[in-house]
Amino acid sequence: MFKLFGPKHKGTGPFLVNDHPNYHFADLGQMPETQLVMLVNRRTWQRLPEYVANYEALALAGRFGAQPGDYEWEWVASPEAIRWWRRAATGQESLFGMALAVHRAEMIELYGLVEVDEHSPHWAEVIPEEAANGMPSQAKLVARSEGRSEQDILAGLYCEYFRKRGMLTLDTPGQPALRRGTIREVERFRDALRALIERSTRVRLPSDIR
């Protein structure tokens, strides 16, 4: 069911950001990589495909240009899900968070996670400052002694940092590495989803006008 999300997380202990702790999310056992669970009213959720397509879809950026926070969402029809392509200050977007929908009567259960690839501008931003500060200097020294690219060495140092902490969800030679989101990043994704849903309720959609 969760192939949309890639491999199961491994390494450091799991956590769950739960917006509704008194509610039983029945599919959690089938999706152990889940980092976020939310409930959304069915009628509100059903507005999202049309809202995203007309106001916030990633594809709109090519027509209108984009700033951080603009045109960052992708609706997935099967399996039904929403993806957040978070933009950096440069305007570059990269896949950041995904949430899969499960329909339950009048509510929608969302099972989400944050997963960041090594080419993302958000890849290294969760490395603590005290660890990150020395890495550029270390990469420069190694580059001089070994005649290798400083940028490649720095990328390797970042990857090794996440590897040692069990944060890599994909660590296969020849493929971009993936790391799991931190709890703060998952909370950021939750807040972005909340804001998206709230904006969708305040807009008249083309189907509302017809």
Side-chain angles (χ1 to χ4, degrees), residues 77-92:
S78 181
E80 193 171 303
I82 190 84
R83 288 173 168 164
W84 186 28
W85 292 75
R86 182 182 165 202
R87 289 190 183 275
T90 60
Q92 177 188 348

Side-chain angles (χ1 to χ4, degrees), residues 181-209:
T182 66
I183 190 168
R184 297 292 172 250
E185 288 179 310
V186 174
E187 289 172 341
R188 182 192 291 267
F189 180 39
R190 175 202 60 196
D191 294 344
L193 268 174
R194 284 175 175 172
L196 173 73
I197 292 167
E198 176 63 24
R199 290 193 299 274
S200 74
T201 64
R202 300 197 302 262
V203 170
R204 293 190 69 190
L205 300 175
S207 61
D208 295 330
I209 299 170

Side-chain angles (χ1 to χ4, degrees), residues 127-135:
I127 298 178
E129 187 176 352
E130 60 271 18
N133 283 345
M135 289 183 180

